[in-house]
Amino acid sequence: MPTLNEIKTNFNPNLKIGLSHERITSDGGLILYKESAHKIGYFQSLHNTLHIQDERHLPDHTYPSVVEQLVFQHLAGYHRDYAAKRLVDDPVFTQVTEKDYLASQPTVSRTYGAFTPENIDQMNDFLLQSSIDTHKRLDQHQLTIDVDSTYFQTYGNQENSAFNTHYKTTGFHPLMAFDCMTGMCLSAVNRPGEQYTSKGAEDMVSDIIDSYLNQLPHMDILVRGDSGFAIPSLYETCEDKEVSYVIRLKANAKLHAMAEEISPAPSFSSESEEPFL
């Protein structure tokens, strides 16, 4: 017997959301993701932005539709390509992707292989515009760009992977930027493992700031980064765009000396004068 009122979805009026003890799936929450995405036109925007050259003859699954499928797979925790084989006719996944069956693992792999640098730029445009649209809907006037890098170890002879002296392994060292207010990814650029943390950061941040200010000119923007991004070119980019920035500096003797001049550390002559903790 249902314990909650059943709700019809907008993307599929024949589909109802409810809770019954005899009909439960652990992936049912994807229906709510799909409903939210449908209301804001999220995947329609993806299909309009992503244009992958497709030389296949009458394919069952377009490349953008496979990317949409992968979004739902990752949301549900199915991060491996071969998960598509197990989910091929899963009732929840076929409902949220609006397909009779999912793309197979080989099709998923071909989709990755079909991506070009131009398609990566299109995906970044899509991510950035999605974030801007979210700020418009929420009527938010503050943006904190959190720029950072991450690391992925690779195995075998992966193209463009390289040895990273910090991690002492071979891999990729992508550069990424996130919106701290919503948690949305603003941009991502893959780089070989030997690339320094801040390589290309000023260009990425500049593009993000320009895109936001072109559509939301009164947005209050702050750029945040750790000590790996303490480079003059990034400071100059932020100052030229007239946005604030907070970037950590690595501790060193000169900084300690300057800090001591501005705010000397307290000294205590006896144990009785020590502050109470």
Side-chain angles (χ1 to χ4, degrees), residues 61 66 69 73 84-85 88 99 101-108:
H61 306 274
V66 177
Q69 171 185 322
Q73 283 189 209
K85 181 178 181 180
V88 62
K99 297 179 178 182
Y101 56 91
L102 298 191
S104 64
Q105 181 272 319
T107 301
V108 171

Side-chain angles (χ1 to χ4, degrees), residues 142-163:
Q142 292 183 319
L143 169 68
T144 300
I145 303 172
D146 191 357
V147 58
D148 205 351
S149 66
T150 187
Y151 185 77
F152 296 106
Q153 184 175 352
T154 59
Y155 302 89
N157 297 314
Q158 291 287 332
E159 184 179 1
N160 291 330
S161 65
F163 185 77

